Amino acid sequence: MLIVMDKDATQEMIQGVVGKIEALGYAAQPIPGGERVAIGILRNTGPVDPALFLDMPGVTQAIPVSKPYKLVSREMKRENTLINLANGVTLGHGNFVAMAGPCAIESEDQALTIARLVKAEGAQIFRGGAFKPRTSPYSYQGMGETGLKILDKVRRETGLLIVTEAVDHDSLKQVAEYADIVQIGARNMQNYTLLRHAGQIKKPVLLKRGMYATLDEWLMAAEYIMSEGNAQVILCERGVRAIGGHARNLLDLATIPAVRRESHLPIVVDPSHAAGRRDLVPPLARAAVAAGADGLLIEVHHEPEKALSDGAQSLYPQQFAVLMEEIRSLKPGSWH
Ligand code: PEP
Ligand code: MN
């Protein structure tokens, strides 16, 4: 249930509603945005009687929220969430943000070379894993904290912001210190303890869709993060398991309008992990932008044939340059 306060409601009236929610054994969560304060009721197991609140001073409406996810839902918050990042970059409705870089950080030279190239083509955020969740324990696992230090240097030298993945609680603590956006990967989308910990950090979280996850399961994963107090969640569609061997995954672009309908959270698309091969990446990227994605996460490598992970799906810098040019013509007027 969402309790909407009158726009002239006093702090005392708001506190009165919060107190009543807590006295009933539920949790109260003020929802930011808009002219008036709204307070979400969480942790109720059954329906809450609106009459309990409607006659309280300052209360104008009590709206039942029918979805299992509450804080994530558009029923709770009508306005789109904008993620304000450093350097004036805003991610969210109407703005388009390009995040690009290698799958994994391999060396300082590799990271800086690619960062300078993607920056020159208009990327605002540099991606690159220091901790890699690999299907095989024998595959390259990433540089760990050394990789984070390299990412820090990339930020200082190029001014690009950094998105990088945390794979468990220990790496989350380190990643949260260095990253501008913390990525939770597809394989961890249902790691509920990690999601809860991600809800306690003060950095935006990019939550990838699990490769078998329904939209509801994905939004419930976002709810885990938000329920711990972190409202800065960015959803990232990266494809789900599919039949056929022509692509690594099936890029589900229907999630873009579906997320817009169900949630106020921004949604970006990763065509690289969906495609698995570089020739498929540009058309999927253009389709994602045309379908209304708030941004793209793209793997780019200056020497993809030597890449330690995901070389086959990494764009050459020149291909990335062409793609960015094409995207600019698709999104006139909303380019940073
Ligand atoms: C990645 O972004 O490098 C990654 C491992 O992605 P995903 O979790 O989508 O497989
Ligand atoms: Mn990758």
Side-chain angles (χ1 to χ4, degrees), residues 82-91 97 99 124-125 161-162 180-181 203-204 232 234:
L82 298 177
I83 310 284
N84 292 312
L85 299 160
N87 298 356
V89 177
T90 303
L91 200 148
V97 172
M99 313 182 202
Q124 303 99 326
I125 302 177
L161 304 178
I162 303 296
D180 297 288
I181 302 175
K203 296 277 171 80
Q232 297 183 285
I234 304 156

Side-chain angles (χ1 to χ4, degrees), residues 103 127 129 132-133 165 183-187 208-209 211 238 248 270 273 297 299 310:
C103 180
R127 67 141 290 148
K132 295 304 303 174
E165 180 165 354
Q183 177 173 323
I184 303 283
R187 291 158 187 80
K208 290 215 173 179
R209 181 183 180 188
M211 51 191 95
R238 48 78 77 204
R248 185 173 174 182
D270 168 356
H273 289 86
L297 184 73
E299 286 184 342
D310 285 348

